[in-house]
Amino acid sequence: KVQLVESGGGSVQAGESLRLSCVGSGYSRSHYCMGWFRQRPGKEREDVGRLYTGGGSTKYADSVKGRFTVSQGSSRNTLYLQMNNVTPDDTAMYYCAVDEDAVTGGYCRTIPISDYESHGQGTQVTVSS
């Protein structure tokens, strides 16, 4: 099973930027689906964005589209979440997740990222107004 460790969370002001990182180990496939989900206080887990490492295709939640970017590092086992123009509504625990079997036809199947087979312990992001 893949092991994941997130970092980069912290406290920022609205309108600022933050980059989260996720380093994984224990992969058994060459290509897989990676993504981020979050859990805001008192709310259900929700997708943020996902990426298929085979072709680089991405998909984002409407709430973050145009502000957040998911990307893979030059070291293939690293995933980033670039968060720009954050708002207090982005305050949440952010989790990185991987699923080596969630690929269909060169794309990641649209299952909740929180249902991926591996995820990390999370990193807290707090945005103040």
Side-chain angles (χ1 to χ4, degrees):
K1 190 174 179 180
V2 176
Q3 305 293 317
L4 299 166
V5 178
E6 303 96 337
S7 62
S11 296
V12 294
Q13 298 283 323
E16 292 183 343
S17 297
L18 199 64
R19 189 174 81 160
L20 307 184
S21 301
C22 171
V23 178
S25 60
Y27 297 101
S28 59
R29 302 274 179 95
S30 298
H31 298 298
Y32 35 85
C33 294
M34 300 184 78
W36 295 88
F37 66 94
R38 68 186 181 184
Q39 187 157 22
R40 295 185 279 181
K43 303 215 173 163
E44 299 289 319
R45 291 174 167 182
E46 59 180 343
D47 289 355
V48 173
R50 70 187 80 201
L51 174 148
Y52 171 51
T53 66
S57 61
T58 55
K59 184 176 175 65
Y60 297 94
D62 288 343
S63 58
V64 306
K65 204 173 291 183
R67 299 188 299 122
F68 291 10
T69 303
V70 177
S71 63
Q72 193 176 19
S74 55
S75 170
R76 287 195 313 116
N77 65 339
T78 302
L79 187 73
Y80 298 108
L81 179 66
Q82 178 66 42
M83 306 169 62
N84 296 331
N85 194 25
V86 295
T87 74
D89 280 345
D90 295 319
T91 294
M93 184 71 80
Y94 285 76
Y95 299 86
C96 169
V98 169
D99 196 320
E100 297 186 291
D101 295 316
V103 181
T104 299
Y107 293 90
C108 294
R109 289 200 301 275
T110 308
I111 61 173
I113 299 171
S114 55
D115 286 348
Y116 280 8
E117 58 191 8
S118 301
H119 61 77
Q121 295 299 307
T123 186
Q124 177 67 38
V125 172
T126 302
V127 183
S128 55
S129 57

